[in-house]
Amino acid sequence: MSDLFENDLFENKAEDWDAGDMKQILSQAIGGAMVQEVSFLPTQHVMDFGAGTGLICSAIAPHVQKIMAVDISPSMLERLAAKPELKGKVATVCQDILDCPMDEKFDVIVSAMAMHHVQDTDAMLQRFYEHLQGGGQVALADLDAEDGSFHPADAEGVYHDGFDRDALQHKLEQVGFQDVRFETVTTVFKDDKTYPIFMVMAFK
Ligand SMILES: C[S@@+](CC[C@H](N)C(=O)[O-])C[C@H]1O[C@@H](n2cnc3c(N)ncnc32)[C@H](O)[C@@H]1O
């Protein structure tokens, strides 16, 4: 087994992930916004980057042909693979596509709350672009720029305290994405603080 998978940062979280109220509220808001804003088609092949236990896949699966759930956490993907409602519709790939791209292209790439776990945002967006069909679309949800209090101070694998929208739009455009559009999908209230969550959509 590679070092990557031995160091599964979500191993202790996977079992109870779906039971967390915040996870459910977030994934319902994000998944709902994706279904409403992206014109999914029953012929489409979608990648869910950082799919985790499949909360977003569950929202999207009824609207598309198939989903490739990409994640680097074997324990999170194990939970996803055990969900009967996703069987036959969602395949899992435990692979870091930044290091090792897939030999496959997608009509849409979605992602929820995973981008802040990836150190090199430019390289990640470049990979998304490369993995899209011409005219394909991304719908990416994450935290707006915050003061670092969203995660515990000792949280491992958190590389960004959210994202500044203008800076992220610039990065998307640098890679080649067009028609970049943001919306606020929900706001998390935690310990007297508010954390807006954006979804950015853009086309290849
Ligand atoms: C906060 S969880 C979100 C999971 C899921 N999208 C959801 O909304 O419930 C972040 C996920 O991103 C995954 N992740 C972190 N770095 C990654 C990478 N380089 N490639 C793919 N997935 C990654 C983690 O393993 C984890 O499952």
Side-chain angles (χ1 to χ4, degrees), residues 10 17 49-52 55-56 71-73 76 96 112-114 117-118:
F10 281 79
W17 189 265
F49 177 82
L55 293 175
I56 297 299
D71 206 290
I72 56 169
S73 165
M76 293 289 266
D96 193 336
M113 302 302 283
H117 292 290
V118 178

Side-chain angles (χ1 to χ4, degrees), residues 31 55 63 65 109 115 153 170:
L55 293 175
H63 305 279
Q65 187 177 58
I109 297 177
M115 296 194 300
H170 182 69

